[in-house]
Amino acid sequence: MPAEKNSAFDVIVVGSGASGGWAAKRIGEAGLKVAIVEAGRPQSDSNFTEHKPAFELKYRNRAKEIVRKTRPIQSVFDVCNEYTQDWFINDFDEPYTTPADKPFNWMGRLRMTGGRTNVWGRVSLRFSDDDFKAASHDGYGEDWPLSYSDIAPYYDLVEKYVGVTGMSEGLEHLPDGQFQPPMPLTCQESVFRERVKEKLGRTVTLARSANLTRPINGRGPCHYCGPCDRGCVTHSYFNAAFTTVPDALNTGKCTLISNAMVHQVLMDPATNRARGLLYVDRVTRQSHELSARVVILCAQSQESVRILLNSATREYPKGLANSSGVLGHYLTAHVRSGGGSGDFPTAGRKHTLGAPVKPVGIYVARFRNLKGQPPYKRFLRGFGYEGESSMDFNFRAAGFGAAYKKAVLEPRASLDVTGFGEVLPRWDNFVEIDPQVKDIFGIPVLKIHMSDGENERAMIQDMGDSAGEMLEAAGAKNIRTYAHPSAPRWALHEAGIARMGEDAKKSVLNQFQQTHDVKNLFVMDASGFTSNPCQNPTLTIMALCVRSCDYLLGELKRSPSLA
Ligand SMILES: Cc1cc2nc3c(=O)[nH]c(=O)nc-3n(C[C@H](O)[C@H](O)[C@H](O)COP(=O)(O)OP(=O)(O)OC[C@H]3O[C@@H](n4cnc5c(N)ncnc54)[C@H](O)[C@@H]3O)c2cc1C
Ligand code: SF4
């Protein structure tokens, strides 16, 4: 069926998640006509279930196998559950492939306004020049084409709007930000923080997190109900669906086109400019064309690069904007299969049902291979830990009868830490189009090739060992550590497959996430990361996106056709 043509926009933004929401807001607020083209359904407060008890659900949120029937990959991570499964793709309708010996779980494939920010863990950390200039420090890979001072004002801007609870620590490699007052630490967390600093010199801090402790922009402070990954009617965590996207729509300049699965960027070969895009309506399966002066892809790394690879033309036979041949290569995603846990019997207090739940844990700042330290012999770069503490009834108590009843009521205070490690960008971790397989919309799917190298394996081992060392230092009992190989590989922080760089022969994007090849085409999600430091990526995705939008707006003022 021929595609229907729709009216022209100044800018089209593909995706409405962390990056797309910001791009649409920034451009709409500048007075340009912008369309958000989003594969998912509209999101609204009526879909949020953070206060709904499990007993009100048909299967009490206990029948994982029912969720697995349609979402065997999405439900590997428990944010895809009976409450939220409809927010995620059906894995059979929208597959991807991998080589048999490199399994990879591509999770977090949401199809709702807000994308992954509906369910994300909200940990919001800055990168530093230890990250942007890591190649100069240790000789591996490439430096980013920008420095901390270029992005710092945008971190400020984004943090003030998003609302990040955090503690300032004065660390050069984990810069402080514009924090809202910190949520308090639990007893175990405080003990862990103090003793790990005292005995090992490592910094344990509140996980800097996009949860409000003060109201902003009509959003209320967190009331500690717990399950942020099921939505939040008081809008107390950051989700693009109830922050940046409504701001963009409120400008009166922005149109949200939902259920619109982008297939290709369309080119005008005579001018070497993108002229718009082709999408498939997920409900009617009808194809549509949209035209615009500028196209910005913000569909999440693999999805944006899939669109570029599917947009190959005679001029760009290996994928659009891929004259370098680098597009799709250098896939990175954190390793997180090492860590440990322990009990803190003296930190216990009487547990109660329905107690407040703090939705934010702790973060252990990176401590390996920092500037000024001798290089750590076993691997390059480093890792941080996210940690959680819990207080529960002692359901594992031994015995029976009255003694058992008494023992069950004894509080059980524990703390666990999970390493999040940097993965070195390697050419042979890559994505390509699988010519044999299409999704139910007829769009060719990705084949993902990803495995760990020596560096990652050594790092995972250290994550387990160092977790044990810190728990020991903190006086934990029943310490359990682990360091598993990370296959089947799973990831929520994928980056790097349309990397930024100064040299157009070795990179796809410049420092403003503009493709070197096509001047009115931008990719503003994590695809552009030149490396993937151990800190969680989303704060940097958002700050970079705003910076790139400001560049774009400046360029459009200078030359409306981006000549
Ligand atoms: C469970 C979980 C926990 C996480 N925890 C953290 C954390 O603690 N800290 C952190 O920094 N990061 C975290 N992340 C990662 C974070 O959510 C992502 O880095 C961030 O949302 C990526 O932003 P994005 O704009 O690239 O993509 P998204 O936010 O996913 O938005 C992409 C949007 O594009 C749409 N789209 C995709 N393909 C198409 C297409 N072809 N056509 C049209 N639209 C399309 C999608 O439907 C989606 O709405 C977590 C992710 C998950 C899933
Ligand atoms: S814990 Fe706080 S942020 Fe999370 S859903 Fe409850 S009120 Fe919202």
Side-chain angles (χ1 to χ4, degrees), residues 50-51 122 183 211-212 221-229 231-237 357-359:
E50 76 276 22
H51 297 148
R122 308 165 307 283
M183 289 185 177
N211 289 81
L212 301 184
C222 174
H223 53 267
Y224 299 86
C225 67
C228 310
D229 45 75
C232 180
V233 288
T234 50
H235 298 176
S236 309
Y237 75 97
V357 183
K358 183 163 68 88

Side-chain angles (χ1 to χ4, degrees), residues 45-295:
D45 289 7
S46 62
N47 294 324
F48 297 156
T49 55
E50 76 276 22
H51 297 148
K52 187 172 184 158
F55 62 74
E56 286 183 19
L57 298 180
K58 185 166 178 195
Y59 301 108
R60 314 285 190 264
N61 201 24
R62 299 245 159 197
K64 276 202 157 195
E65 59 281 11
I66 308 268
V67 182
R68 267 191 226 119
K69 273 189 185 160
T70 51
R71 291 161 179 89
I73 296 163
Q74 302 312 304
S75 61
V76 169
F77 203 59
D78 59 8
V79 295
C80 174
N81 51 43
E82 193 183 339
Y83 286 99
T84 55
Q85 56 178 325
D86 289 352
W87 298 1
F88 292 78
I89 59 154
N90 175 319
D91 285 314
F92 299 100
D93 290 349
E94 300 185 55
Y96 61 93
T97 61
T98 64
D101 61 339
K102 292 185 179 175
F104 181 90
N105 287 325
W106 180 8
M107 295 178 291
R109 299 184 69 195
L110 281 99
R111 291 290 181 260
M112 299 297 286
T113 303
R116 286 180 170 185
T117 64
N118 282 285
V119 299
W120 70 314
R122 308 165 307 283
V123 176
S124 299
L125 305 169
R126 294 186 178 203
F127 296 178
S128 75
D129 278 336
D130 276 33
D131 306 307
F132 296 125
K133 303 298 170 199
S136 293
H137 180 59
D138 63 22
Y140 184 90
E142 304 282 335
D143 283 341
W144 291 49
L146 55 97
S147 303
Y148 181 69
S149 58
D150 296 313
I151 194 174
Y154 292 95
Y155 278 135
D156 288 348
L157 182 156
V158 168
E159 282 163 346
K160 280 187 199 155
Y161 175 88
V162 161
V164 178
T165 177
M167 294 158 78
S168 295
E169 302 287 356
L171 301 175
E172 199 185 325
H173 63 285
L174 189 70
D176 296 329
Q178 302 290 329
F179 300 135
Q180 290 209 339
M183 289 185 177
L185 299 179
T186 64
C187 296
Q188 305 90 294
E189 290 168 351
S190 295
V191 168
F192 190 72
R193 171 179 162 85
E194 277 159 29
R195 296 199 182 148
V196 167
K197 185 63 148 189
E198 185 188 302
K199 299 199 175 146
L200 300 169
R202 297 176 191 163
T203 300
V204 179
T205 187
L206 179 72
R208 295 165 180 176
S209 182
N211 289 81
L212 301 184
T213 51
R214 290 286 181 275
I216 29 172
N217 304 328
R219 299 164 55 211
C222 174
H223 53 267
Y224 299 86
C225 67
C228 310
D229 45 75
R230 304 199 318 239
C232 180
V233 288
T234 50
H235 298 176
S236 309
Y237 75 97
F238 176 81
N239 178 338
F242 49 67
T243 54
T244 47
V245 174
D247 274 7
L249 296 174
N250 286 337
T251 61
K253 292 286 181 183
C254 177
T255 308
L256 171 62
I257 304 173
S258 296
N259 290 309
M261 185 72 195
V262 173
H263 181 169
Q264 286 176 330
V265 175
L266 300 172
M267 286 291 289
D268 176 356
T271 59
N272 188 39
R273 292 286 185 272
R275 63 180 173 82
L277 50 76
L278 180 73
Y279 72 85
V280 181
D281 184 303
R282 290 169 70 92
V283 181
T284 64
R285 306 281 168 92
Q286 168 79 33
S287 294
H288 297 264
E289 277 187 21
L290 276 185
S291 51
R293 286 196 284 153
V294 178
V295 174

